[in-house]
Amino acid sequence: MKFFVDTADVDAIREMMDLGFCDGVTTNPSLIAKSGRDILEVTKEICDMVDGPVSAEVVALDSATMIEEGRKLAKIADNVVIKLPLTLDGLKACKVLSSEGHKINVTLCFSANQALLAAKSGATYISPFIGRLDDINIEGLDLIEDIRTIYDNYGYETEILAASIRTVNHISDCAKIGADVITAPPAVIKAMANHVLTDKGLDGFVKDIKAAGIKIL
């Protein structure tokens, strides 16, 4: 499973790279707005830092403008993935841009039918939103499982990029289902290393070392 970091904070991305937990980055206008920086400038900086895919999202709603914005974003760097919303206009733009050889991340997916249309439109990635479905009492992980089944049934190469990850359990459950990628905030990814029994065991270990006066350096 690939880990994408869902942020536009370059310091946070650098930390995740140092840890070895950054196979790519996803951004969106909301995340970039929080950074207070120009969208093209911050996207270029992230692309220069990261070897893997960097999703950069269009802001237009009509297909013609989405296509032009997508082409402009793609010129920033070779590892840019154009991020489009899952609307009919977004799917039309996906078809055009993917046929030109651009990588596309179709986002805001909330149903298996939407995911099927994205695959048929040539999407490189589909981003189903787990947490937002959970928020309205629909099991988000069921959607990941449904998409996995459909894509496997028909041999679609579109990768499942599980998004709106809220908890570490979301990540492990997506891994068991077979999602190709997860994208999550840095804090959630780092929290995967935490366990109360690890902390308890380490505390006892440290006490024993101090009592025995053991040193290596």
Side-chain angles (χ1 to χ4, degrees), residues 42-91:
V42 71
T43 301
K44 177 68 167 63
E45 184 173 352
I46 293 170
C47 287
D48 288 343
M49 293 170 57
V50 178
D51 292 331
V54 176
S55 289
E57 190 166 352
V58 301
V59 296
L61 297 179
D62 65 286
S63 61
T65 311
M66 284 184 196
I67 291 166
E68 292 307 308
E69 289 181 351
R71 288 169 177 159
K72 184 171 183 178
L73 290 170
K75 290 178 180 177
I76 293 173
D78 291 340
N79 55 335
V80 164
V81 175
I82 303 164
K83 197 172 181 183
L84 301 168
L86 212 160
T87 61
L88 288 176
D89 278 280
L91 293 172

Side-chain angles (χ1 to χ4, degrees), residues 202-216:
L202 190 58
D203 286 343
F205 181 65
V206 170
K207 289 176 182 176
D208 290 343
I209 288 173
K210 287 183 177 178
I214 296 172
K215 292 184 179 180
I216 294 177

Side-chain angles (χ1 to χ4, degrees), residues 80-213:
V80 164
V81 175
I82 303 164
K83 197 172 181 183
L84 301 168
L86 212 160
T87 61
L88 288 176
D89 278 280
L91 293 172
K92 182 177 180 180
C94 177
K95 186 68 174 177
V96 171
L97 291 167
S98 63
S99 69
E100 295 175 356
H102 300 298
K103 292 184 176 182
I104 310 296
N105 177 0
V106 177
T107 190
L108 291 172
C109 173
F110 295 97
S111 77
N113 282 331
Q114 289 179 317
L116 182 54
L117 290 177
K120 290 184 70 66
S121 298
T124 313
Y125 303 98
I126 183 67
S127 290
F129 278 43
I130 298 172
R132 294 196 195 181
L133 283 171
D134 289 348
D135 289 343
I136 58 170
N137 296 318
I138 295 175
E139 181 58 63
L141 288 164
D142 287 349
L143 176 57
I144 305 298
E145 191 166 4
D146 288 345
I147 298 171
R148 180 77 280 157
T149 298
I150 291 170
Y151 283 7
D152 289 349
N153 281 348
Y154 297 101
Y156 286 117
E157 295 182 0
T158 301
E159 294 190 38
I160 301 173
L161 197 171
S164 189
I165 298 285
R166 304 277 178 78
T167 69
V168 295
N169 286 344
H170 276 161
I171 297 175
S172 56
D173 287 338
C174 283
K176 287 184 282 187
I177 292 168
D180 301 286
V181 191
I182 61 93
T183 185
V188 175
I189 296 175
K190 288 192 291 184
M192 293 173 69
N194 298 338
H195 197 287
V196 63
L197 294 180
T198 301
D199 296 339
K200 183 178 180 180
L202 190 58
D203 286 343
F205 181 65
V206 170
K207 289 176 182 176
D208 290 343
I209 288 173
K210 287 183 177 178

Side-chain angles (χ1 to χ4, degrees), residues 2-58:
K2 289 173 281 190
F3 283 18
F4 289 179
V5 183
D6 194 34
T7 185
D9 183 335
V10 294
D11 291 331
I13 294 169
R14 189 174 291 108
E15 179 187 13
M16 298 306 290
M17 290 176 65
D18 290 342
L19 288 167
F21 302 150
C22 180
D23 299 305
V25 173
T26 56
T27 68
N28 60 50
S30 298
L31 290 173
I32 291 176
K34 289 178 183 177
S35 75
R37 300 178 59 190
D38 175 76
I39 184 171
L40 301 180
E41 176 187 283
V42 71
T43 301
K44 177 68 167 63
E45 184 173 352
I46 293 170
C47 287
D48 288 343
M49 293 170 57
V50 178
D51 292 331
V54 176
S55 289
E57 190 166 352
V58 301

